[in-house]
Amino acid sequence: MSDLERFIKHRPDSGQWTILDYIVVGGGLAGTTVAARLAENYEVTVLLVEAGSDNRTDKIVYDIYAYSQAFGTDLDWAWPTDQGKTIRGGKTLGGSTSINGAHYTRGMQAQYDAWTTLLEISAADAGWDWEGILGYMQKSEAFSAPNSQQAAKGAESVADYHGLSGPVQVTYPDAMYGGPEQPDFINSIVNLTGIEHCPDVNGSGSNCVLMTPLTIDWHDSDHRSSSCQAYLTPVESQRTNWLTLTEHLVRNSNYLVEHRKRTASGIEFAPSSGGSTRYAATALKEKIVAAGAIQSPALLQLSGIGDSSLLNSLDIGTNLDMKGVGRNLQEQTMNSLGAGGNFDYGGEGPSDCIAYPNIHQVFGCNKIALQVAVDHNWAASQSASADSQAALEKIYEVQAGLILNGNAPIVELFYDTGYPECQLTGFGIDLWQLLPFSRGNVSITTTDPFTRPAVNVNYFGVGWDLDVQVASVSTSLSTGETVPGTRVPNTNGNFGSDQDWKSWILDPSVGLSAICGICEIHELSSKGVVDAQLKIYNMTNVRVVDASILPMQISAPPSATLYGVTEKAADIIRASN
Ligand SMILES: Cc1cc2nc3c(=O)[nH]c(=O)nc-3n(C[C@H](O)[C@H](O)[C@H](O)COP(=O)(O)OP(=O)(O)OC[C@H]3O[C@@H](n4cnc5c(N)ncnc54)[C@H](O)[C@@H]3O)c2cc1C
């Protein structure tokens, strides 16, 4: 046991404060990355508090082939939402990277460049664009190019796009599917939609169909390379200046007011199992909130940072009246289609093939659908869940511009070998819209930190999002019909009415746990929560660093991007202390 650990273990019980340089709340993707980078300086002390357990030796975490077995267990926050859905999130060391699908892809250059337009003019050169983030994405990555067997199965890559010596291991699995189905899917969708087949999506353009790599470690039997496996495991025996405290939930923070700015004086935390034991700690330098897109806004609200009307209703004193905290939730919405088949998979999952079509490739020549424009009614209808109507209109304009003029992929079609499971030679397509216009929110309903916040996902709050999902179903069905060896019922192209599909979509659709936007980086006048330094506006020493700060969805799952964002954040923090 290190000196620091003894210190922590004993002082809080005696009701005294534990004092460190940095406190990081949440040991997920962002939290472990930031803590690891800060603790590289042996002269500072770092406390990382994680609500879940350390499950690194649990097969349902390290074995990527056991994907989904953690769902519904203690390792899953499983937030219930409106519309009767459930959002998954890792409640374990490594956070959602310990239970996620591990697909590693980046978005389009223009989507990252658009972030700069949302910041204060003075922050335009702060590096929140593709050029500024790419190097950090590569810093976090140790990519291993496909070997000859993987290449024979269709795996490809472009060496220049990748980092080679970062902590997060990225590669293709040895047991990857080698049957005809994945290459056939690629050929079919190219022929059907005109989408390009590209070798690697991690350059600056993601509008293509391809095989994608995973965050797994070939040096370790293709086990999951979660954020804690990447950033903590290799150094934990040496970094005695870094304490990781699992099974403790941060309840709230206390604040001092100085010159009209707030300073966090400390945090209060408690065993995650509940009870009345309370601990306290203070950060001499900074506190970093990295509790993920749902829990971070909830924690801020518990600490009196949020919409004063919500805080007043719960008798929480308002430290900072910030309407943006808990708003602007954007989530990608998924449906799955399955069919029979008669091919030999030639390997094991997870599947490797993804198509990222743009609006033209999804809607074809349907001119009505192509007339997506920033409809003021959309912003008005979503403004209760957004920062403000004006801010939303601005973001919509950027998003619509990327969709209409920038060929930003609007949907992900994930080729799912073996779905549904009961069909031994089946195949499926999981499809989800990538760039929703609908907005939801997160709000605490009680001052009890052990109660999960209310999550309002508001799927399809903007009707166009549903149109995208319906058109994607149609594209998927057509693709399915043209993949050799599959048994999609012969419908002669008559796949049912749009209304039928809308009903079907609304019933089984699930969220993808790719949430962002809820403590977004945005200019203050647009009700942003953090500035370009990721500091909460009008606070001296608290930053939010996790998925909640991303202002808009990108056309990709988020983790590759988030590793880059978090590496950049760590540099910002180190430079300012
Ligand atoms: C089922 C699933 C599949 C996914 N698949 C993919 C994929 O294939 N590719 C991809 O790129 N992305 C995927 N993602 C998304 C990706 O994993 C997340 O976007 C990413 O991990 C978010 O990072 P984060 O640091 O914001 O949050 P997290 O990684 O979720 O970390 C937050 C941490 O904070 C802890 N915490 C919360 N509240 C408190 C508190 N009060 N006190 C202490 N600790 C607290 C949590 O327990 C958690 O460990 C998936 C996510 C899920 C859930």
Side-chain angles (χ1 to χ4, degrees):
M1 186 187 290
S2 71
D3 287 349
L4 181 62
E5 196 170 347
R6 267 193 292 277
F7 185 66
I8 291 277
K9 284 238 159 85
H10 296 122
R11 292 283 293 271
D13 279 320
S14 63
Q16 296 181 54
W17 287 64
T18 301
I19 300 173
L20 301 106
D21 291 307
Y22 297 102
I23 296 173
V24 182
V25 181
L29 184 157
T32 39
T33 305
V34 171
R37 291 303 183 193
L38 295 177
E40 282 175 353
N41 175 1
Y42 283 92
E43 292 182 359
V44 301
T45 50
V46 179
L47 170 65
L48 176 68
V49 188
E50 164 55 40
S53 305
D54 180 355
N55 304 100
R56 276 176 285 180
T57 56
D58 192 331
K59 195 172 189 305
I60 63 174
V61 165
Y62 69 73
D63 185 358
I64 199 72
Y65 297 99
Y67 174 68
S68 83
Q69 290 180 21
F71 296 177
T73 69
D74 288 350
L75 281 64
D76 177 11
W77 283 92
W79 296 279
T81 77
D82 60 319
Q83 305 182 358
K85 317 291 184 202
T86 301
I87 300 279
R88 310 263 171 227
K91 187 179 185 182
T92 176
L93 201 55
S96 298
T97 66
S98 291
I99 68 164
N100 74 8
H103 280 271
Y104 185 90
T105 72
R106 301 173 189 150
M108 290 187 83
Q109 171 165 354
Q111 293 178 312
Y112 299 81
D113 291 345
W115 296 354
T116 294
T117 66
L118 303 175
L119 299 173
E120 312 283 347
I121 292 169
S122 58
D125 58 357
W128 290 111
D129 53 16
W130 174 258
E131 283 306 316
I133 299 169
L134 176 62
Y136 284 110
M137 291 195 274
Q138 292 170 335
K139 181 181 180 183
S140 68
E141 182 192 15
F143 183 72
S144 302
N147 60 31
S148 55
Q149 286 102 324
Q150 292 160 342
K153 294 174 178 177
E156 297 175 279
S157 67
V158 175
D160 285 355
Y161 296 170
H162 294 279
L164 300 176
S165 54
V168 183
Q169 303 292 320
V170 182
T171 194
Y172 289 89
D174 267 341
M176 69 184 277
Y177 293 117
E181 69 281 4
Q182 296 197 126
D184 281 346
F185 168 75
I186 291 177
N187 290 336
S188 294
I189 200 153
V190 166
N191 292 334
L192 190 74
T193 66
I195 194 171
E196 190 190 340
H197 172 195
C198 66
D200 195 325
V201 80
N202 289 305
S204 55
S206 57
N207 179 204
C208 56
V209 57
L210 75 167
M211 301 256 185
T212 59
L214 302 169
T215 44
I216 54 172
D217 186 355
W218 66 266
H219 313 84
D220 181 24
S221 312
D222 282 349
H223 289 164
R224 182 188 288 281
S225 182
S226 65
S227 64
C228 62
Q229 212 44 26
Y231 285 88
L232 174 64
T233 305
V235 299
E236 65 185 324
S237 60
Q238 301 129 42
R239 301 237 179 114
T240 51
N241 59 329
W242 171 8
L243 175 69
T244 304
L245 195 62
T246 54
E247 299 177 22
H248 284 77
L249 182 96
V250 175
R251 290 163 41 88
N252 58 13
S253 302
N254 303 310
Y255 296 97
L256 301 171
V257 185
E258 286 175 344
H259 309 300
R260 301 169 74 187
K261 282 207 162 192
R262 265 69 175 165
T263 299
S265 58
I267 59 162
E268 202 181 281
F269 55 102
S272 298
S273 52
S276 57
T277 308
R278 300 286 177 264
Y279 302 128
T282 196
L284 290 177
K285 294 183 188 294
E286 293 205 16
K287 190 184 125 193
I288 295 101
V289 180
I294 305 278
Q295 292 295 123
S296 281
L299 185 62
L300 293 182
Q301 290 166 351
L302 284 167
S303 308
I305 299 179
D307 188 336
S308 57
S309 57
L310 170 72
L311 303 179
N312 289 343
S313 70
L314 295 169
D315 277 336
I316 297 173
T318 301
N319 277 307
L320 275 178
D321 186 7
M322 297 197 92
K323 308 283 184 224
V325 173
R327 298 206 174 148
N328 205 33
L329 180 151
Q330 298 159 61
E331 165 69 320
Q332 300 170 347
T333 321
M334 183 173 92
N335 293 93
S336 299
L337 293 163
N342 61 0
F343 36 74
D344 176 358
Y345 295 160
E348 279 186 78
S351 299
D352 314 280
C353 245
I354 304 182
Y356 290 105
N358 64 34
I359 187 171
H360 310 282
Q361 291 152 349
V362 171
F363 284 101
C365 54
N366 182 343
K367 300 287 184 219
I368 297 169
L370 280 177
Q371 281 165 4
V372 59
V374 184
D375 179 336
H376 289 275
N377 294 331
W378 293 3
S381 73
Q382 303 303 295
S383 60
S385 285
D387 318 338
S388 75
Q389 184 171 334
L392 202 51
E393 280 178 13
K394 185 171 168 190
I395 287 195
Y396 280 0
E397 253 172 56
V398 174
Q399 190 161 314
L402 290 166
I403 290 172
L404 281 173
N405 311 319
N407 283 334
I410 55 170
V411 66
E412 174 164 333
L413 304 179
F414 178 81
Y415 185 85
D416 196 350
T417 304
Y419 176 87
E421 284 160 47
C422 57
Q423 290 179 307
L424 290 177
T425 56
F427 92 101
I429 295 180
D430 304 319
L431 53 112
W432 53 90
Q433 53 163 255
L434 294 164
L435 305 175
F437 286 85
S438 308
R439 294 294 187 267
N441 56 57
V442 170
S443 47
I444 53 171
T445 56
T446 154
T447 54
D448 174 11
F450 297 104
T451 303
R452 288 169 298 182
V455 180
N456 172 20
V457 287
N458 190 30
Y459 293 146
F460 310 117
V462 169
W464 194 78
D465 291 347
L466 191 51
D467 295 340
V468 172
Q469 200 78 349
V470 170
S472 308
V473 168
S474 186
T475 308
S476 302
L477 286 167
S478 306
T479 309
E481 278 206 328
T482 55
V483 173
T486 58
R487 292 193 301 268
V488 176
N490 186 357
T491 59
N492 294 322
N494 180 9
F495 298 131
S497 72
D498 283 2
Q499 197 49 51
D500 293 340
W501 282 111
K502 281 183 182 173
S503 308
W504 177 78
I505 286 165
L506 290 171
D507 187 30
S509 64
V510 293
L512 199 70
S513 307
I515 298 174
C516 74
I518 319 174
C519 297
E520 62 174 326
I521 180 172
H522 205 164
E523 59 189 345
L524 184 57
S525 58
S526 295
K527 307 269 189 311
V529 175
V530 295
D531 64 16
Q533 302 297 303
L534 305 188
K535 261 194 186 158
I536 297 180
Y537 284 108
N538 293 317
M539 294 222 53
T540 61
N541 64 345
V542 184
R543 296 183 213 248
V544 182
V545 183
D546 59 25
S548 65
I549 65 117
L550 303 181
M552 298 163 64
Q553 290 283 4
I554 49 163
S555 300
S559 64
T561 299
L562 272 175
Y563 277 119
V565 165
T566 310
E567 286 275 9
K568 181 174 167 63
D571 260 10
I572 292 173
I573 297 167
R574 287 196 295 201
S576 68
N577 285 281

Coordinates of all heavy atoms in Angstrom, one line a residue, residues 175-238:
A175 N -9.2 -13.8 -34.9 CA -10.3 -14.8 -35.2 C -11.3 -14.1 -36.1 O -12.4 -14.6 -36.2 CB -10.9 -15.3 -33.9
M176 N -11.0 -13.0 -36.7 CA -12.0 -12.2 -37.4 C -12.7 -13.1 -38.5 O -12.1 -14.0 -39.1 CB -11.5 -10.9 -38.0 CG -10.5 -11.1 -39.2 SD -9.8 -9.5 -39.7 CE -11.1 -9.0 -40.8
Y177 N -13.9 -12.7 -38.8 CA -14.7 -13.5 -39.8 C -13.9 -13.5 -41.2 O -13.5 -12.5 -41.6 CB -16.0 -12.9 -40.0 CG -17.0 -13.0 -38.9 CD1 -17.4 -11.8 -38.2 CD2 -17.4 -14.2 -38.4 CE1 -18.3 -11.9 -37.1 CE2 -18.3 -14.3 -37.3 CZ -18.7 -13.2 -36.7 OH -19.5 -13.3 -35.6
G178 N -13.8 -14.7 -41.7 CA -13.1 -14.8 -43.0 C -14.0 -15.4 -44.1 O -13.6 -15.7 -45.2
G179 N -15.3 -15.5 -43.8 CA -16.2 -16.0 -44.8 C -16.5 -15.0 -45.9 O -16.0 -13.9 -45.9
P180 N -17.4 -15.3 -46.9 CA -17.6 -14.4 -48.0 C -18.5 -13.2 -47.6 O -18.6 -12.2 -48.3 CB -18.3 -15.3 -49.0 CG -19.0 -16.3 -48.2 CD -18.2 -16.5 -47.0
E181 N -19.2 -13.3 -46.4 CA -20.3 -12.3 -46.2 C -19.8 -10.9 -46.0 O -20.5 -10.0 -46.5 CB -21.1 -12.8 -44.9 CG -20.4 -12.7 -43.6 CD -19.4 -13.8 -43.3 OE1 -19.2 -14.7 -44.2 OE2 -18.9 -13.8 -42.2
Q182 N -18.7 -10.6 -45.4 CA -18.3 -9.2 -45.2 C -17.9 -8.6 -46.5 O -18.4 -7.5 -46.9 CB -17.3 -9.1 -44.1 CG -17.8 -9.5 -42.8 CD -17.0 -9.1 -41.6 OE1 -17.5 -8.4 -40.7 NE2 -15.7 -9.3 -41.5
P183 N -17.0 -9.2 -47.3 CA -16.7 -8.6 -48.6 C -17.9 -8.5 -49.5 O -18.0 -7.5 -50.2 CB -15.7 -9.6 -49.2 CG -15.1 -10.3 -48.0 CD -16.1 -10.4 -47.0
D184 N -18.8 -9.5 -49.4 CA -20.0 -9.4 -50.2 C -20.9 -8.2 -49.8 O -21.5 -7.5 -50.6 CB -20.9 -10.7 -50.1 CG -20.3 -11.8 -51.0 OD1 -19.4 -11.5 -51.8 OD2 -20.7 -13.0 -50.7
F185 N -21.0 -7.9 -48.5 CA -21.7 -6.8 -48.0 C -21.1 -5.5 -48.6 O -21.8 -4.6 -49.1 CB -21.7 -6.7 -46.5 CG -22.2 -5.4 -45.9 CD1 -23.5 -5.1 -45.9 CD2 -21.3 -4.5 -45.4 CE1 -24.0 -3.9 -45.4 CE2 -21.7 -3.3 -44.8 CZ -23.1 -3.0 -44.8
I186 N -19.8 -5.4 -48.6 CA -19.1 -4.2 -49.1 C -19.4 -4.0 -50.6 O -19.8 -3.0 -51.0 CB -17.6 -4.3 -48.9 CG1 -17.3 -4.2 -47.4 CG2 -16.8 -3.3 -49.7 CD1 -15.8 -4.4 -47.0
N187 N -19.3 -5.1 -51.3 CA -19.6 -5.0 -52.8 C -21.0 -4.6 -53.0 O -21.3 -3.8 -53.9 CB -19.3 -6.4 -53.5 CG -17.8 -6.6 -53.5 OD1 -17.0 -5.7 -53.4 ND2 -17.5 -7.9 -53.6
S188 N -21.9 -5.2 -52.3 CA -23.4 -5.0 -52.5 C -23.7 -3.5 -52.2 O -24.4 -2.9 -53.0 CB -24.2 -5.8 -51.6 OG -24.1 -7.2 -51.9
I189 N -23.2 -3.0 -51.2 CA -23.6 -1.6 -50.8 C -22.9 -0.6 -51.7 O -23.4 0.5 -52.0 CB -23.4 -1.3 -49.3 CG1 -24.2 -0.1 -48.9 CG2 -21.9 -1.1 -48.9 CD1 -24.6 -0.1 -47.5
V190 N -21.7 -0.9 -52.2 CA -21.1 -0.1 -53.2 C -21.9 0.0 -54.5 O -22.2 1.1 -55.0 CB -19.6 -0.6 -53.5 CG1 -19.1 0.1 -54.8 CG2 -18.7 -0.3 -52.4
N191 N -22.4 -1.2 -54.9 CA -23.2 -1.3 -56.1 C -24.5 -0.6 -56.0 O -25.0 0.1 -56.9 CB -23.4 -2.7 -56.6 CG -22.1 -3.3 -57.0 OD1 -21.2 -2.6 -57.5 ND2 -22.0 -4.7 -56.9
L192 N -25.1 -0.7 -54.8 CA -26.4 -0.2 -54.6 C -26.4 1.3 -54.4 O -27.3 2.0 -54.9 CB -27.0 -0.9 -53.3 CG -28.4 -0.6 -53.0 CD1 -29.3 -1.5 -54.0 CD2 -28.7 -1.0 -51.6
T193 N -25.5 1.9 -53.6 CA -25.6 3.3 -53.3 C -24.5 4.1 -53.9 O -24.6 5.4 -53.9 CB -25.4 3.5 -51.7 OG1 -24.1 3.1 -51.4 CG2 -26.4 2.6 -50.9
G194 N -23.5 3.5 -54.5 CA -22.4 4.3 -55.1 C -21.4 4.8 -54.1 O -20.5 5.5 -54.4
I195 N -21.6 4.3 -52.8 CA -20.6 4.7 -51.8 C -19.2 4.1 -52.1 O -19.1 3.0 -52.8 CB -21.1 4.2 -50.4 CG1 -20.3 4.8 -49.3 CG2 -21.0 2.7 -50.3 CD1 -20.9 4.6 -47.9
E196 N -18.2 4.8 -51.7 CA -16.8 4.3 -52.0 C -16.4 3.2 -51.0 O -16.7 3.3 -49.8 CB -15.9 5.5 -51.9 CG -14.5 5.3 -52.4 CD -13.6 6.5 -52.1 OE1 -14.1 7.6 -51.8 OE2 -12.4 6.3 -52.1
H197 N -15.6 2.2 -51.5 CA -15.0 1.3 -50.6 C -13.6 1.9 -50.3 O -12.8 2.0 -51.2 CB -14.9 -0.1 -51.2 CG -14.1 -1.1 -50.4 ND1 -13.6 -2.2 -50.9 CD2 -13.6 -1.0 -49.2 CE1 -12.9 -2.9 -50.0 NE2 -12.9 -2.2 -48.9
C198 N -13.3 2.2 -49.0 CA -12.0 2.8 -48.7 C -11.3 1.9 -47.7 O -11.9 1.1 -47.0 CB -12.2 4.2 -48.1 SG -13.0 4.3 -46.5
P199 N -10.0 2.0 -47.7 CA -9.2 1.1 -46.9 C -9.2 1.4 -45.4 O -8.9 0.6 -44.6 CB -7.8 1.2 -47.5 CG -7.7 2.6 -48.1 CD -9.1 2.9 -48.6
D200 N -9.4 2.7 -45.1 CA -9.2 3.1 -43.7 C -10.0 4.4 -43.4 O -9.9 5.4 -44.2 CB -7.7 3.4 -43.4 CG -7.4 3.5 -41.9 OD1 -8.3 3.9 -41.2 OD2 -6.3 3.1 -41.6
V201 N -10.9 4.4 -42.4 CA -11.7 5.5 -42.2 C -11.1 6.5 -41.2 O -11.7 7.5 -40.9 CB -13.1 5.0 -41.6 CG1 -12.9 4.6 -40.1 CG2 -14.2 5.9 -41.8
N202 N -9.9 6.2 -40.8 CA -9.3 7.1 -39.7 C -8.5 8.2 -40.3 O -7.7 8.9 -39.6 CB -8.5 6.3 -38.7 CG -9.5 5.5 -37.9 OD1 -10.4 6.0 -37.2 ND2 -9.4 4.1 -37.9
G203 N -8.6 8.5 -41.6 CA -8.0 9.7 -42.2 C -9.0 10.8 -41.9 O -9.6 10.9 -40.9
S204 N -9.3 11.7 -42.9 CA -10.1 12.8 -42.6 C -11.5 12.7 -43.2 O -12.3 13.6 -43.2 CB -9.4 14.1 -43.2 OG -9.1 13.9 -44.6
G205 N -11.8 11.6 -43.9 CA -13.1 11.4 -44.5 C -13.7 10.1 -44.2 O -13.1 9.1 -44.3
S206 N -15.0 10.1 -43.7 CA -15.5 8.8 -43.2 C -16.7 8.3 -44.1 O -17.4 7.4 -43.8 CB -16.0 8.9 -41.8 OG -16.9 10.0 -41.7
N207 N -16.9 9.0 -45.3 CA -18.0 8.7 -46.1 C -17.7 7.5 -47.0 O -17.4 7.6 -48.2 CB -18.4 9.9 -47.0 CG -19.6 9.7 -47.9 OD1 -19.7 10.3 -48.9 ND2 -20.4 8.7 -47.6
C208 N -17.6 6.3 -46.5 CA -17.2 5.1 -47.2 C -17.7 3.8 -46.5 O -18.3 3.9 -45.4 CB -15.7 5.1 -47.5 SG -14.7 5.2 -46.0
V209 N -17.4 2.7 -47.2 CA -17.7 1.4 -46.5 C -16.4 0.7 -46.4 O -15.5 0.8 -47.3 CB -18.7 0.6 -47.3 CG1 -18.3 0.3 -48.8 CG2 -19.0 -0.8 -46.7
L210 N -16.2 0.0 -45.3 CA -14.9 -0.6 -45.0 C -14.9 -1.6 -43.9 O -15.9 -1.7 -43.2 CB -13.9 0.5 -44.8 CG -13.9 1.1 -43.4 CD1 -12.7 2.0 -43.2 CD2 -15.1 2.0 -43.2
M211 N -13.7 -2.2 -43.7 CA -13.5 -3.0 -42.4 C -12.9 -2.1 -41.4 O -12.0 -1.3 -41.8 CB -12.5 -4.1 -42.7 CG -13.0 -5.1 -43.8 SD -13.6 -6.6 -43.0 CE -13.9 -7.6 -44.5
T212 N -13.3 -2.2 -40.2 CA -12.8 -1.2 -39.2 C -12.1 -2.0 -38.0 O -12.5 -3.1 -37.7 CB -13.9 -0.4 -38.5 OG1 -14.9 -1.3 -37.9 CG2 -14.6 0.5 -39.6
P213 N -11.0 -1.4 -37.5 CA -10.3 -2.1 -36.4 C -11.0 -1.9 -35.0 O -11.9 -1.1 -34.9 CB -9.0 -1.4 -36.4 CG -9.2 0.0 -36.9 CD -10.4 -0.1 -37.8
L214 N -10.5 -2.6 -34.0 CA -11.0 -2.6 -32.7 C -10.0 -2.2 -31.7 O -8.8 -2.3 -31.9 CB -11.5 -4.0 -32.3 CG -12.5 -4.7 -33.2 CD1 -12.7 -6.1 -32.9 CD2 -13.9 -4.0 -33.1
T215 N -10.4 -1.7 -30.5 CA -9.5 -1.4 -29.4 C -9.2 -2.7 -28.7 O -9.8 -3.0 -27.6 CB -10.0 -0.3 -28.5 OG1 -11.4 -0.6 -28.2 CG2 -9.9 1.1 -29.1
I216 N -8.4 -3.5 -29.2 CA -8.0 -4.8 -28.6 C -6.5 -4.9 -28.7 O -5.8 -4.2 -29.5 CB -8.6 -6.0 -29.3 CG1 -8.3 -6.0 -30.8 CG2 -10.1 -6.1 -29.0 CD1 -8.8 -7.3 -31.5
D217 N -5.9 -5.8 -27.8 CA -4.4 -5.8 -27.7 C -3.9 -7.2 -28.2 O -4.1 -8.2 -27.5 CB -4.1 -5.6 -26.2 CG -2.6 -5.5 -26.0 OD1 -1.8 -5.7 -27.0 OD2 -2.2 -5.2 -24.9
W218 N -3.2 -7.3 -29.3 CA -2.8 -8.6 -29.8 C -1.6 -9.1 -29.0 O -1.4 -10.3 -29.0 CB -2.4 -8.5 -31.3 CG -1.1 -7.7 -31.6 CD1 -1.1 -6.3 -31.9 CD2 0.2 -8.1 -31.5 NE1 0.2 -5.9 -32.1 CE2 1.0 -6.9 -31.9 CE3 0.9 -9.3 -31.2 CZ2 2.4 -7.0 -31.9 CZ3 2.3 -9.3 -31.3 CH2 3.0 -8.2 -31.7
H219 N -1.0 -8.2 -28.2 CA 0.1 -8.8 -27.3 C -0.6 -9.5 -26.1 O 0.1 -10.2 -25.4 CB 0.9 -7.6 -26.7 CG 1.4 -6.6 -27.6 ND1 0.6 -5.5 -28.0 CD2 2.5 -6.5 -28.3 CE1 1.3 -4.8 -28.9 NE2 2.5 -5.3 -29.0
D220 N -1.9 -9.3 -25.9 CA -2.6 -9.9 -24.8 C -3.8 -10.7 -25.3 O -4.9 -10.4 -24.9 CB -3.0 -8.7 -23.8 CG -3.7 -9.2 -22.6 OD1 -3.5 -10.4 -22.2 OD2 -4.5 -8.4 -22.0
S221 N -3.5 -11.6 -26.2 CA -4.6 -12.5 -26.7 C -5.8 -11.8 -27.2 O -6.9 -12.3 -27.1 CB -5.0 -13.5 -25.6 OG -3.9 -14.1 -24.9
D222 N -5.6 -10.7 -27.8 CA -6.7 -9.9 -28.4 C -7.8 -9.5 -27.3 O -8.9 -9.2 -27.6 CB -7.5 -10.7 -29.5 CG -6.7 -10.6 -30.8 OD1 -5.7 -9.8 -30.9 OD2 -7.1 -11.3 -31.8
H223 N -7.3 -9.3 -26.1 CA -8.2 -8.8 -25.1 C -8.4 -7.3 -25.2 O -7.7 -6.6 -25.9 CB -7.6 -9.1 -23.7 CG -7.7 -10.6 -23.3 ND1 -7.0 -11.1 -22.3 CD2 -8.4 -11.6 -23.9 CE1 -7.2 -12.4 -22.2 NE2 -8.0 -12.7 -23.2
R224 N -9.5 -6.9 -24.6 CA -9.9 -5.5 -24.7 C -8.9 -4.5 -24.2 O -8.3 -4.7 -23.2 CB -11.2 -5.3 -23.9 CG -11.8 -4.0 -23.9 CD -12.9 -3.9 -22.8 NE -14.1 -4.7 -23.2 CZ -15.0 -4.3 -24.0 NH1 -14.9 -3.1 -24.6 NH2 -16.1 -5.0 -24.3
S225 N -8.6 -3.5 -25.0 CA -7.7 -2.4 -24.5 C -8.6 -1.3 -24.1 O -8.8 -0.3 -24.8 CB -6.8 -2.0 -25.7 OG -5.9 -1.0 -25.2
S226 N -9.1 -1.4 -22.8 CA -9.9 -0.4 -22.3 C -9.1 0.8 -21.8 O -7.8 0.7 -21.8 CB -10.7 -0.9 -21.0 OG -9.7 -1.2 -20.0
S227 N -9.7 1.9 -21.4 CA -8.9 3.0 -21.0 C -8.0 2.7 -19.8 O -6.9 3.2 -19.7 CB -9.7 4.3 -20.8 OG -10.6 4.0 -19.7
C228 N -8.5 1.9 -18.9 CA -7.7 1.6 -17.7 C -6.6 0.6 -18.0 O -5.5 0.6 -17.5 CB -8.6 1.2 -16.5 SG -9.5 -0.3 -16.8
Q229 N -6.9 -0.3 -18.9 CA -5.9 -1.3 -19.3 C -4.8 -0.6 -20.1 O -3.6 -0.9 -20.0 CB -6.6 -2.3 -20.3 CG -6.2 -3.7 -20.3 CD -5.9 -4.4 -19.0 OE1 -6.4 -4.0 -17.9 NE2 -5.0 -5.3 -19.0
A230 N -5.2 0.5 -20.8 CA -4.2 1.2 -21.6 C -3.4 2.2 -20.8 O -2.2 2.2 -20.9 CB -4.9 2.0 -22.7
Y231 N -4.1 2.9 -19.9 CA -3.4 4.1 -19.2 C -3.0 3.7 -17.8 O -2.1 4.4 -17.3 CB -4.3 5.3 -19.2 CG -4.3 6.0 -20.6 CD1 -5.3 5.7 -21.5 CD2 -3.4 7.0 -20.9 CE1 -5.3 6.3 -22.8 CE2 -3.5 7.7 -22.1 CZ -4.4 7.3 -23.0 OH -4.5 8.0 -24.2
L232 N -3.7 2.8 -17.1 CA -3.4 2.6 -15.7 C -2.6 1.3 -15.5 O -1.5 1.3 -14.9 CB -4.7 2.4 -14.9 CG -4.6 2.0 -13.5 CD1 -3.8 3.1 -12.7 CD2 -6.0 1.8 -12.9
T233 N -3.0 0.2 -16.1 CA -2.3 -1.1 -15.8 C -0.8 -1.1 -16.0 O -0.1 -1.5 -15.1 CB -3.0 -2.2 -16.7 OG1 -4.4 -2.2 -16.5 CG2 -2.4 -3.6 -16.4
P234 N -0.3 -0.5 -17.1 CA 1.2 -0.6 -17.3 C 1.9 0.2 -16.2 O 3.1 0.0 -16.0 CB 1.4 0.0 -18.7 CG 0.0 0.0 -19.3 CD -1.0 0.1 -18.2
V235 N 1.3 1.2 -15.6 CA 2.1 2.1 -14.7 C 1.7 2.1 -13.2 O 2.3 2.7 -12.4 CB 2.0 3.6 -15.2 CG1 2.6 3.7 -16.6 CG2 0.6 4.1 -15.1
E236 N 0.7 1.3 -12.9 CA 0.1 1.5 -11.6 C 1.0 1.1 -10.4 O 1.0 1.6 -9.3 CB -1.3 0.7 -11.4 CG -1.2 -0.7 -11.5 CD -2.7 -1.3 -11.5 OE1 -3.5 -0.8 -10.8 OE2 -2.9 -2.3 -12.2
S237 N 2.0 0.1 -10.7 CA 2.9 -0.2 -9.6 C 4.0 0.8 -9.4 O 4.5 1.0 -8.3 CB 3.5 -1.6 -9.9 OG 4.3 -1.5 -11.1
Q238 N 4.2 1.7 -10.4 CA 5.3 2.7 -10.3 C 4.7 4.1 -9.8 O 5.4 4.8 -9.1 CB 6.0 2.9 -11.6 CG 6.6 1.7 -12.2 CD 6.2 1.6 -13.7 OE1 6.1 2.5 -14.4 NE2 5.9 0.3 -14.1

